[in-house]
Amino acid sequence: MTRRLISTGSPFEKTAGYSRAVVDGDLVFVSGTTGYDYATMTMPEDVGAQARNAFATIQKALAEAGASFEDVVQTRYYLVEPSDAEALFRVTGEIFGEIRPANTLIVCRLLKPEMKIEIEVTARVRN
């Protein structure tokens, strides 16, 4: 089994010492991902839009690992405001409504005040 690192190309990954995702055998571990739009380096104010941006980044990392949302076995959501949960669930329900991975939701502070959600996933690639 080989270990492979997946990067978004962000210099912060090297500075902070992490990869967007790590593939280890048939498992894919995607780091916590916030809602930046990497094309414009902006963060939308709406938690639903932030979640969609985060999932777009996650989807790219999964694809590079040979996986997709259908391979996700666990999700973890870090949410700043409990009142934003319903907006988050609308997005997660669209993506995972039929897949239904194991799930954890944690309410906490995030690194920057504009960040309202951070999402990480674990997937198992099925051949």
Side-chain angles (χ1 to χ4, degrees):
M1 301 280 173
T2 59
R3 182 173 185 254
R4 184 165 49 104
L5 307 179
I6 295 173
S7 174
T8 60
S10 166
F12 189 65
E13 292 173 14
K14 184 160 179 63
T15 301
Y18 77 98
S19 296
R20 173 59 48 212
V22 175
V23 181
D24 193 349
D26 64 351
L27 295 175
V28 182
F29 303 91
V30 181
S31 291
T33 305
T34 59
Y36 280 105
D37 176 337
Y38 287 106
T40 62
M41 283 310 293
T42 59
M43 177 78 74
E45 288 188 34
D46 176 69
V47 73
Q50 287 190 22
R52 287 186 194 288
N53 285 351
F55 278 123
T57 302
I58 290 167
Q59 187 173 35
K60 288 177 188 171
L62 289 171
E64 190 172 332
S68 68
F69 287 138
E70 288 78 20
D71 297 307
V72 172
V73 295
Q74 184 171 22
T75 60
R76 284 170 283 319
Y77 304 109
Y78 302 89
L79 189 65
V80 173
E81 293 295 332
S83 59
D84 285 335
E86 288 304 316
L88 171 64
F89 294 157
R90 283 191 290 278
V91 177
T92 62
E94 290 173 21
I95 295 170
F96 293 119
E98 298 300 318
I99 301 163
R100 299 180 60 193
N103 175 332
T104 300
L105 172 66
I106 299 165
V107 176
C108 63
R109 289 183 11 197
L110 293 174
L111 187 61
K112 295 186 177 183
E114 66 268 20
M115 296 174 175
K116 295 183 178 184
I117 182 73
E118 186 167 340
I119 301 168
E120 67 179 284
V121 305
T122 303
R124 181 171 170 256
V125 179
R126 302 172 212 298
N127 295 328

